[in-house]
Amino acid sequence: MEISRLQRRRILLGVTGSIAAYKSAELIRRLRQAGAEVQVVMTPAAARFVTPLTLQALSGRPVRRDLFDVAAEAAMGHIELARWADWILIAPASADFLARLRIGRADDLLATLCLASEAPVILVPAMNRAMWRHPATRDNVAVLEGRGVEIWGPASGAQACGEEGPGRMLEPAEIVGRLQALGKAPLLGGVKVMITAGPTREAVDPVRFLSNRSSGRMGYALAQAAREAGAEVTLVSGPVSLEPPSGVEVIRVESAQQMYRQVMARVGRCDIFIGAAAVADYTPIRPAVAKLKKDQARITLELVRTPDILAAVAAASPRPFTVGFAAETERLHEYARAKLDRKRLDMIAANRVGPGRGFETEDNALWVLWPGGERDLGRASKRELARRLIELISERYGQESRAENSG
Ligand code: PMT
């Protein structure tokens, strides 16, 4: 018998106002049979079509309906719920819900969870055929798909309103089948990944430091993508103002020296290392113990090189599959290839940096090089690029481990 790929997967099932809400009961039953944990969240309109009690009995968990339910929030707050989900599946998804999701409303619990969660969102629409074909709905669907939301269906056929056409919610068996296909073996299941992210701060005196423009977004997106790919992730992070992805161990550091120590203490236990941090190359040789006074017109800071964390990881024995980044303002390929060779890396991801590029931005463009090959990952959001890079790393890592095992 084939093992279900939905075993212990956490599905937040959103049910919105449509006559097809009666099919949600059957959907929950099938998801539970397949081993999934199901948390139902209903909109007020959904509760007019099917009772929360029915869905609660089938899912085995209290149904959540209200953003301001004090007791439910105390048990599992909505942000916690947003982090809990492996997938957000909304079935049925009404025309109204599509429109509200498109404009980013947060005026009920389900819409708020969609905004607050980083889990993939799957919509299974159900509505009258004319509503489905209306230019406003077509437009909403296109925008949502562009943001990476999956839209499954609708099917065509006889509708509850007596009309014939597209708008029927997919059958529960088909939805569960599609989820099973999505839940295929994770790319990095059981693999230990350590990632550095963000800037470092190098103390000049007790109140001043040298740093750079890194926001940590690229490194945090990589941590999330690696986690989603099934890896056990340790994120060694410089000072940033980002929420760490759930399920990731976070080690906070400030200076390059601290980052070096924390990384080297764990390098023997990781399979893949990704250096996405913008580590300061130089640090004040002797930080002042008291705040420097501005009584001189000109001062000189003496700087010394920081330890090269990436090079030290690549030289460790045993060494993990080592991936560096190259942030360059010019001659991107040439400098990146030189860093790959000089630091003896397995792979390097090159990005152009400068005003409004690479650092701090929401999107980025990466060109990836390895000994004997290269691939353009294109321009996209950092989250999307992180997924592409993790996929490529797992491909190359898999090839190298196979070569080592056979050699
Ligand atoms: O944080 P964001 O705002 O999202 O921006 C993302 C980013 C531009 C910071 C990221 O994509 C990136 O390019 N990170 C590496 C930045 C960098 O320091 O590049 P570099 O070319 O100076 O260093 C090359 C590599 O050596 C990097 O992997 C770096 O982590 C590593 N290094 C550098 C110096 C040092 N002392 N130790 C290191 O490990």
Side-chain angles (χ1 to χ4, degrees), residues 60-387:
R61 286 167 174 262
V63 166
R64 298 287 298 265
R65 289 197 285 162
D66 187 358
L67 187 54
F68 303 105
D69 179 334
V70 177
E73 278 291 307
M76 195 198 284
H78 65 279
I79 296 294
E80 235 176 298
L81 194 53
R83 291 197 190 129
W84 171 89
D86 289 324
W87 286 300
I88 296 184
L89 172 68
I90 299 177
S94 66
D96 178 63
F97 193 77
L98 261 58
R100 296 190 323 106
L101 196 59
R102 182 238 166 105
I103 55 174
R105 296 298 298 257
D107 54 352
D108 70 17
L109 179 61
L110 186 57
T112 305
L113 288 169
C114 290
L115 269 190
S117 177
E118 297 194 328
V121 176
I122 302 161
L123 300 177
V124 192
M127 65 195 74
N128 163 270
R129 60 166 187 90
M131 290 168 85
W132 175 250
R133 285 184 176 139
H134 194 283
T137 306
R138 311 285 356 109
D139 200 30
N140 293 337
V141 166
V143 170
L144 290 168
E145 280 181 329
R147 286 185 203 150
V149 171
E150 292 226 24
I151 314 262
W152 290 356
S156 257
Q159 300 204 288
C161 52
E163 295 186 8
E164 187 91 21
R168 284 169 59 96
M169 178 172 135
L170 294 186
E171 292 307 317
E174 177 162 0
I175 298 170
V176 175
R178 287 190 182 206
L179 276 174
Q180 293 270 19
L182 276 188
K184 61 184 183 293
L187 284 176
L188 293 176
V191 176
K192 294 188 176 69
V193 177
M194 179 158 52
I195 298 170
T196 63
T200 63
R201 286 181 181 171
E202 309 303 319
V204 173
D205 69 16
V207 296
R208 302 182 179 94
F209 54 80
L210 301 177
S211 191
N212 59 61
R213 294 182 181 280
S214 170
S215 64
R217 283 199 187 101
M218 193 69 239
Y220 276 55
L222 282 163
Q224 166 137 14
R227 180 75 200 104
E228 283 167 7
E232 222 176 276
V233 183
T234 302
L235 179 62
V236 184
S237 172
V240 298
S241 53
L242 300 175
E243 272 293 309
S246 68
V248 166
E249 182 195 15
V250 185
I251 315 284
R252 294 180 201 278
V253 297
E254 201 157 298
S255 65
Q257 183 64 39
Q258 287 169 1
M259 188 174 272
Y260 172 81
R261 275 207 216 102
Q262 295 294 346
V263 166
M264 296 317 284
R266 292 167 176 79
V267 73
R269 282 176 268 136
C270 82
D271 304 304
I272 297 176
F273 174 81
I274 309 174
V279 186
D281 292 311
Y282 289 91
T283 189
I285 200 162
R286 235 172 282 105
V289 285
K291 186 181 168 197
L292 291 174
K293 292 290 164 209
K294 44 184 178 293
D295 47 7
Q296 297 173 56
R298 179 181 288 212
I299 60 166
T300 304
L301 267 182
E302 201 181 345
L303 304 177
V304 62
R305 279 292 297 268
T306 54
D308 190 324
I309 303 166
L310 185 62
V313 169
S317 173
R319 61 171 252 163
F321 184 89
T322 309
V323 182
F325 266 76
E328 308 291 352
T329 52
E330 55 183 345
R331 295 157 77 177
L332 185 66
H333 291 70
E334 184 190 331
Y335 288 161
R337 178 72 64 194
K339 271 182 194 162
L340 176 81
D341 295 343
R342 193 174 65 247
K343 299 195 187 189
R344 298 174 173 277
L345 307 177
D346 294 299
M347 189 183 267
I348 196 158
N351 45 194
R352 259 183 213 289
V353 290
R357 284 182 111 168
F359 285 101
E360 292 176 310
T361 52
E362 291 287 349
D363 65 349
N364 199 6
L366 289 180
W367 191 284
V368 184
L369 303 104
W370 59 90
E374 57 184 66
R375 194 177 296 171
D376 182 3
L377 295 190
R379 167 166 292 282
S381 68
K382 285 180 178 169
R383 280 199 61 188
E384 175 55 32
L385 274 180
R387 278 191 215 113

Side-chain angles (χ1 to χ4, degrees), residues 8-36:
R8 289 190 297 280
R9 301 312 294 269
R10 298 186 294 211
I11 297 170
L12 195 154
L13 177 64
V15 182
T16 71
S18 154
I19 182 63
Y22 78 90
K23 291 187 185 174
S24 308
E26 170 69 1
L27 179 57
I28 296 167
R29 202 183 58 77
R30 286 181 178 268
L31 287 170
R32 300 263 338 256
Q33 259 174 1

